[in-house]
Amino acid sequence: MQAVGPPGFYNVPVTKFMVILLSSCSILASILNIKQYFHLQITPHISEHHQVWRLITSHLAFGNSSDVFFGLVLLYTFRVIERQYGCAKYSAFIFISVLISSLLELGALMIGAQFGLKNIPGGPYALIFSILYQYYRIIPITYRFRVFGVVMTNKLFLYILALQMALSQSFATIIPAICGILAGVLYRTDVINIKRWRFPIVLQRIVVKFIKPFFVSPPIARSATATPTQRPFVAGIGSMENIMSNGLRNNRRTTNSTGSSTRSETPSATVEGASSVREYFDTITGRDVAGSDLEPPSPEYTRILMTMFPDHPRETITRALSSAHNNLNRAVEIMLSTPAPSNAAIESSSSSNNSHRRPS
């Protein structure tokens, strides 16, 4: 399974909230023996007892431990979608997907009652498959490989997990999976501009101020053993045992006593090694590489990334391509780990640029 972006829950508070909520509700439902309140059934729960709240609770807890595990793995993998959408758009997408898929499940129960479909088991199957469709459309393929002559991609392992969930309870789980995919398709096609809908600004501010701080995770520190792919060779530096035994002063005298050719080659090699290390750290930290000896960003790759990331400005895309040495896959990983700027920030930056360009 591919890993896109930084590990952990950095910059994905909505995903962290869903993982905690889903795991807690599933465990409590099993301990308290209340799983019967989480499945969706028209007769008699909705038609006679008017338990409309089951439309919400049916998405909060799984009925078995295997689906809990695979569902949490898939939700954690889908955190890259939240990094692409942003918290406000991703939370709106989840609300719309749950709403559309619940209506589709009700229709499926009414039609499927003639074929023996009586209930739909509890669990966010529809939501997971709605996010899976966004993952299929947005995230590019990182690599391909062959097994017995059959070409496969790195997404295959994720699709196998999703297929196992869809078939876990046979016909009863296939229906919500199909409803979730249909909800994802409707959202992707932007029917009646549903992609532009967001929660009210007042509600967003309340959540950001009082709830979001509890689900914000710091970035995971990079390992100290991380090294460049190609280690720069720095000439003129002796081994550590030599330096410790003879001392820095003796080592300098030995270096000064060498020929003029060695003295002329050592500074250039040292500068070349330091430059390589600096370029490497610029790449992993995302610092601007303007003015360096890196290749200019490819216009073709720039157009591809602007199509894939329409919410990001052109400067961010060219900086990612320069940092990745025009490696498209690496540039995609950098862009996915870069949060999308808000519309207000983009409009303010564009207006400021236009004001600077006007002649005085």
Side-chain angles (χ1 to χ4, degrees):
M1 190 182 304
Q2 70 175 4
V4 181
F9 291 101
Y10 173 63
N11 205 26
V12 285
V14 179
T15 300
K16 185 176 182 180
F17 171 76
M18 287 196 303
V19 168
I20 295 175
L21 178 65
L22 178 60
S23 57
S24 302
C25 291
S26 300
I27 294 173
L28 290 176
S30 179
I31 293 176
L32 301 177
N33 196 19
I34 54 175
K35 294 182 180 179
Q36 66 273 13
Y37 294 106
F38 290 92
H39 69 271
L40 185 62
Q41 186 173 349
I42 294 182
T43 305
H45 297 151
I46 296 179
S47 61
E48 298 179 8
H49 300 160
H50 305 291
Q51 297 177 353
V52 186
W53 46 266
R54 285 181 178 270
L55 295 174
I56 300 176
T57 58
S58 61
H59 298 279
L60 295 180
F62 283 109
N64 55 70
S65 57
S66 62
D67 285 350
V68 173
F69 174 75
F70 291 121
L72 295 181
V73 170
L74 289 173
L75 286 176
Y76 177 77
T77 307
F78 293 152
R79 72 194 188 279
V80 65
I81 305 297
E82 182 180 356
R83 291 193 176 113
Q84 172 64 20
Y85 280 177
C87 298
K89 183 178 179 179
Y90 191 64
S91 57
F93 159 72
I94 290 174
F95 177 81
I96 294 173
S97 297
V98 171
L99 180 62
I100 296 176
S101 59
S102 298
L103 297 177
L104 292 175
E105 288 175 355
L106 281 178
L109 285 174
M110 294 178 182
I111 298 174
Q114 304 174 0
F115 304 96
L117 181 63
K118 297 181 179 180
N119 62 73
I120 292 178
Y125 298 96
L127 176 61
I128 288 176
F129 279 86
S130 179
I131 305 175
L132 178 66
Y133 181 79
Q134 311 303 316
Y135 183 89
Y136 165 75
R137 292 297 303 272
I138 294 176
I139 307 303
I141 296 173
T142 305
Y143 59 88
R144 292 178 171 86
F145 59 95
R146 291 179 178 270
V147 177
F148 300 111
V150 180
V151 180
M152 302 180 182
T153 67
N154 59 305
K155 291 186 176 182
L156 175 67
F157 309 104
L158 188 72
Y159 296 153
I160 290 176
L161 287 182
L163 181 63
Q164 192 276 336
M165 286 195 63
L167 301 177
S168 61
Q169 300 185 40
S170 184
F171 193 62
T173 49
I174 293 178
I175 295 300
I178 295 176
C179 293
I181 294 176
L182 292 177
V185 172
L186 290 175
Y187 184 85
R188 189 68 182 174
T189 54
D190 199 13
V191 180
I192 61 174
N193 294 329
I194 58 176
K195 293 177 68 174
R196 300 181 182 179
W197 183 84
R198 301 290 186 275
F199 285 103
I201 300 297
V202 177
L203 181 60
Q204 292 186 32
R205 291 176 179 174
I206 293 175
V207 172
V208 169
K209 185 176 182 179
F210 296 103
I211 300 179
K212 185 177 178 180
F214 295 98
F215 298 97
V216 173
S217 300
I220 298 178
R222 292 182 177 269
S223 173
T225 60
T227 54
T229 305
Q230 295 180 351
R231 295 189 178 184
F233 174 74
V234 182
I237 298 180
S239 63
M240 185 59 66
E241 296 179 358
N242 247 352
I243 296 177
M244 295 300 294
S245 59
N246 300 331
L248 290 175
R249 185 176 298 176
N250 294 338
N251 190 37
R252 288 177 182 173
R253 291 176 181 176
T254 306
T255 306
N256 292 333
S257 63
T258 55
S260 60
S261 61
T262 305
R263 290 198 303 269
S264 61
E265 291 176 0
T266 300
S268 62
T270 306
V271 171
E272 180 182 355
S275 172
S276 301
V277 175
R278 190 182 303 110
E279 291 175 3
Y280 168 71
F281 281 108
D282 286 343
T283 300
I284 63 175
T285 55
R287 290 184 294 188
D288 192 4
V289 292
S292 64
D293 296 335
L294 298 181
E295 300 179 2
S298 170
E300 180 182 0
Y301 288 166
T302 302
R303 288 194 298 269
I304 294 175
L305 289 178
M306 290 183 67
T307 304
M308 295 172 57
F309 303 96
D311 297 335
H312 290 267
R314 184 184 181 90
E315 292 77 9
T316 305
I317 293 175
T318 55
R319 189 183 301 115
L321 273 174
S322 300
S323 301
H325 299 273
N326 277 331
N327 186 330
L328 184 59
N329 293 332
R330 174 59 183 157
V332 169
E333 294 182 3
I334 295 176
M335 292 301 301
L336 290 174
S337 61
T338 304
S342 60
N343 295 332
I346 295 177
E347 292 176 359
S348 62
S349 62
S350 61
S351 61
S352 61
N353 291 336
N354 293 335
S355 63
H356 286 307
R357 292 177 182 175
R358 292 176 182 172
S360 56

